[in-house]
Amino acid sequence: MDINFGIKPFWFWNADITEEELKRQIKLMKMEEIGGFFIHPRQGLEIPYLSIEWFEKVRFAVEMAKENNLEVWL
């Protein structure tokens, strides 16, 4: 599947974000042939938005997406 034409939903980050959960959800998106995602912080996010921890999670998600041939948008 060409990722440029796949669905790219908003991926709401609104809880405690763990690398294990990010990895699990990215693998599910790949399995369902989703072409990528928009990382979208929402109410309930338990890490401070734009903090070092936030960017570490974003970096992890981007690396996992790259491994799974998915696009990431912020």
Side-chain angles (χ1 to χ4, degrees), residues 10-15 40-47 49 54:
F10 283 94
W11 184 15
F12 298 130
W13 285 12
N14 60 353
H40 189 66
R42 299 292 291 184
Q43 280 182 304
L45 180 65
E46 294 184 15
I47 60 173
Y49 180 58
W54 162 263

Side-chain angles (χ1 to χ4, degrees), residues 21 24 26 35 37 40 47 68:
E21 185 61 18
R24 185 187 76 79
I26 289 170
F37 48 84
H40 189 66
I47 60 173
N68 288 279

Side-chain angles (χ1 to χ4, degrees), residues 11-27:
W11 184 15
F12 298 130
W13 285 12
N14 60 353
D16 182 26
I17 306 296
T18 65
E19 289 184 358
E20 295 80 25
E21 185 61 18
L22 293 173
K23 185 176 183 176
R24 185 187 76 79
Q25 290 188 30
I26 289 170
K27 289 189 176 286

Side-chain angles (χ1 to χ4, degrees), residues 26-73:
I26 289 170
K27 289 189 176 286
L28 286 172
M29 286 188 258
K30 177 65 174 183
M31 266 182 25
E32 295 298 327
E33 298 184 345
I34 291 173
F37 48 84
F38 289 81
I39 296 174
H40 189 66
R42 299 292 291 184
Q43 280 182 304
L45 180 65
E46 294 184 15
I47 60 173
Y49 180 58
L50 300 179
S51 66
I52 291 172
E53 185 179 4
W54 162 263
F55 284 109
E56 288 171 349
K57 303 297 184 187
V58 169
R59 178 180 292 122
F60 181 82
V62 168
E63 290 170 358
M64 285 299 305
K66 185 176 181 180
E67 288 177 21
N68 288 279
N69 198 33
L70 301 175
E71 289 184 347
V72 180
W73 294 82

